[in-house]
Amino acid sequence: MHAWSVIEPGPVGSGPLRLVEKPVPVPDDDELLVRVRACGVCRTDLHVTEGDLPVHRPGVTPGHEVVGVVAGFGGAVRGFDVGERVGVAWLRRTDGTCAYCARSAENLCPASRYTGWDADGGYAPYTTVPAAFAYRLPGDLDDVTLAPLLCAGIIGHRALRRAALPAGGRLGLYGFGGSAHLCAQVAMAEGAVVHVLTRGAAARKLALELGAASARDAAEMPPEPLDSAILFAPVGDLVPVALRALDRGGTLAIAGIHLSDVPALRYETDLFYEKQLRSVTSNTREDGREFLALAAEHAVHATTHPYPLSRADEALRDLKAGRFDGAAVLVNDLS
């Protein structure tokens, strides 16, 4: 099959992602073989491609927001049928036995493995996934609409919970890409007042169209103090900015897997009055199931920009340049 491969990580404009030939993967005993229909383009794919994240698998095929159909499975798999539609997400495998897994914190498992980083992902016609980590998908949404929900949506949902937003609270979202625009819809459906702070004019326009109370540049202060904030942009310089926007007792959650260096914080202005700063690490499968149920309940929808899978490199370049709002989705046109 033809598949995209990170030959040598580097700036996305220099061509680190190349279309190569790879064998169709063979699923292990506990895995599904999935024929890819659509794969969302996540900022983490950009971090893998450019080397912001260390290489775990040389020549890896990125992609972890996969919607596809079961094309086969290993001998130990039960409960799935060939032709059934499934979702493949970022968290691929855990040991299931460590102290973190035992306390329902599998996202912290030291042996955790990830699709499109530790194993080849969805920028290809076929991928594999352990059956226990595949998601069953609602039948009333199309492949392109569903794809961004499988990482952008799930991690945004976990970030929202980590932000400890009180009922009816004031939430600030720094950055407004694929994850934030899904998180905002859940937060507003649950009664939050959402203020968006982002550099892109198109993203600010989308935020207002979705019902945000305000949309300003990321360097500006929101129109009122925030109970909670989530930093989606991988920009460490925004950490003190967001902390200063919090009301007393507020919480800032950092949603990304990669963040540029955070400048020195001033205790009195940035952290005093019991403000909290939290990170977000991956997600649990329960986070995913909970979010997909909420997305169906509240009709959460992704603003999508389809690209042929054969133009995945272009989609990543456009993501880095901020040329679209919402989320890009690759539609399989390869064999």
Side-chain angles (χ1 to χ4, degrees), residues 59-128:
V60 72
T61 295
H64 57 273
E65 296 179 339
V66 179
V67 176
V69 295
V70 177
F73 42 77
V77 173
R78 300 290 183 270
F80 286 90
D81 296 318
V82 170
E84 181 177 353
R85 190 168 68 156
V86 294
V88 182
W90 176 237
L91 184 65
R92 176 183 180 82
R93 193 182 289 277
T94 60
D95 63 22
T97 60
C98 70
Y100 304 101
C101 289
R103 69 174 194 236
S104 300
E106 66 181 4
N107 60 307
L108 302 179
C109 175
S112 57
R113 297 293 180 265
Y114 300 94
T115 306
W117 191 19
D118 295 293
D120 286 344
Y123 285 24
Y126 290 92
T127 189
T128 60

Side-chain angles (χ1 to χ4, degrees), residues 275-320:
K275 295 179 182 180
Q276 298 185 74
L277 177 59
R278 292 178 165 181
S279 65
V280 179
T281 300
S282 186
N283 62 274
T284 67
R285 282 170 285 177
E286 184 56 34
D287 291 328
R289 290 187 286 264
E290 182 178 292
F291 171 72
L292 290 173
L294 284 171
E297 177 184 350
H298 298 305
V300 173
H301 62 281
T303 297
T304 56
H305 302 273
Y307 289 72
L309 180 54
S310 58
R311 288 166 48 197
D313 55 343
E314 179 184 342
L316 277 182
R317 290 195 298 270
D318 288 351
L319 171 64
K320 184 175 183 179

